[in-house]
Amino acid sequence: MFATDFIFDNKRASDFNLMIGSFNNGIETASGGEIEFSVIKAPNQDKYDFYGAAINSVLTWNFSLLKNPCYTDDADELYFTQDEERQIAKWLLKQDGYKYFRFEQAGYENIFYKVQINMSPYQIGGRTAGFDLTVTSDCGYGYSQEFTHNFTLNKENPINLSINSDINSYILPHITLNGNGSFYISNNSDLSQNISNAKSTQLSNVTGTVTMDSDKDIITGISSPNDFSWYFLRLVNGVNEIATDSADNIELKITYREPRRVIV
């Protein structure tokens, strides 16, 4: 890591006249994100058979946060007052879930992580000179910037959406659609969940805007739970062919982030 600044929950460390630093042995590299194989060795055999793999550890960074000395020539002002400590804690210590985090480092501007942060004061002579941070992500990889695509979909005009993911897993997008009537939306590139195996996104009695959060399995804008098949649209790596049986136009907005196997 060569960054001296970062963005967390839409605020920069430099907005508080702070910078990334270290008090002791330098800044550690990130840990975690290893791929673990599931293997079994049969009796009387030398080789192991592969049964699967998973990323079972999350990414973790440990570094310190201190005042940027460029903003003052007074050594006493490099220590934190009680009000400044409260301000930093209010920004970094969240109790409402993971927030997006990005290091301000050249070449990595489009790599984001969903993280939680814990901090402890680093004190010298009973005065707070900075904070030791532990930044813990929600998984073993990062994400791209947010992509948003708008399409007009009908049965004569399927759409193709290309995904460039670093991880062999489904992307669960946020969907907003405007349409009328009863119809399905099928990602025919999702081989285990599409119209051919009766697992498409089926909607009935649509009269306006419907929103679907595939990640959290939340849908709004339907009149009854029976008006939805409860198969949320998923995206796969490569080209996604999305089709419908609706004769009328469906205005479709798809928002998502792609996994990025990049560790700053």
Side-chain angles (χ1 to χ4, degrees):
M1 181 204 306
F2 295 100
T4 58
D5 200 3
F6 65 85
I7 299 174
F8 175 69
D9 196 22
N10 298 315
K11 295 180 182 178
R12 286 178 168 82
S14 56
D15 294 338
F16 301 88
N17 295 337
L18 303 175
M19 62 181 294
I20 297 172
S22 173
F23 292 105
N24 294 311
N25 299 320
I27 297 173
E28 301 176 11
T29 58
S31 62
E34 299 89 358
I35 297 174
E36 297 182 11
F37 276 31
S38 296
V39 297
I40 294 178
K41 188 174 80 71
N44 303 319
Q45 292 208 13
D46 296 328
K47 69 176 184 178
Y48 287 81
D49 291 323
F50 172 77
Y51 283 90
I55 301 174
N56 291 324
S57 62
V58 300
L59 296 176
T60 302
W61 295 262
N62 292 284
F63 56 87
S64 299
L65 194 62
L66 56 150
K67 287 188 176 182
N68 191 330
C70 296
Y71 290 103
T72 181
D73 293 325
D74 187 345
D76 282 340
E77 291 185 1
L78 295 177
Y79 292 94
F80 289 81
T81 66
Q82 181 191 111
D83 286 343
E84 288 171 334
E85 286 195 52
R86 291 173 55 208
Q87 185 182 42
I88 302 307
K90 185 175 181 179
W91 168 44
L92 295 179
L93 300 179
K94 302 297 185 183
Q95 293 180 284
D96 58 347
Y98 293 96
K99 305 296 181 183
Y100 280 104
F101 176 99
R102 175 168 68 87
F103 289 105
E104 290 277 72
Q105 181 169 319
Y108 295 86
E109 295 87 351
N110 294 326
I111 303 299
F112 296 79
Y113 304 92
K114 288 182 74 174
V115 307
Q116 59 164 308
I117 298 178
N118 279 299
M119 70 181 217
S120 58
Y122 185 91
Q123 294 191 332
I124 300 174
R127 303 171 70 186
T128 299
F131 303 94
D132 292 323
L133 304 187
T134 299
V135 180
T136 306
S137 71
D138 70 333
C139 65
Y141 48 84
Y143 303 92
S144 71
Q145 72 273 28
E146 188 174 81
F147 295 106
T148 298
H149 300 283
N150 294 282
F151 301 100
T152 299
L153 177 68
N154 60 53
K155 69 178 182 180
E156 303 297 332
N157 295 289
I159 59 176
N160 288 330
L161 175 59
S162 293
I163 298 295
N164 182 20
S165 174
D166 295 348
I167 303 295
N168 187 24
S169 62
Y170 294 108
I171 292 176
L172 304 176
H174 187 280
I175 308 288
T176 301
L177 67 86
N178 281 279
N180 288 284
S182 299
F183 51 84
Y184 69 75
I185 298 175
S186 172
N187 183 358
N188 294 333
S189 302
D190 182 353
L191 299 182
S192 64
Q193 185 174 297
N194 59 54
I195 189 61
S196 67
N197 52 31
K199 293 182 179 180
S200 65
T201 302
Q202 182 77 47
L203 293 157
S204 302
N205 305 314
V206 176
T207 58
T209 301
V210 175
T211 63
M212 292 182 287
D213 187 335
S214 299
D215 186 36
K216 295 181 173 61
D217 290 343
I218 296 173
I219 183 169
T220 62
I222 58 174
S223 300
S224 165
N226 295 326
D227 289 337
F228 183 48
S229 64
W230 296 98
Y231 288 108
F232 287 84
L233 193 69
R234 309 184 303 193
L235 304 176
V236 299
N237 192 40
V239 177
N240 292 256
E241 181 191 84
I242 300 174
T244 185
D245 62 343
S246 174
D248 298 326
N249 286 343
I250 300 171
E251 300 301 325
L252 197 62
K253 178 181 177 181
I254 303 176
T255 302
Y256 61 93
R257 293 177 187 260
E258 295 173 345
R260 290 287 181 264
R261 187 72 168 149
V262 177
I263 303 175
V264 180

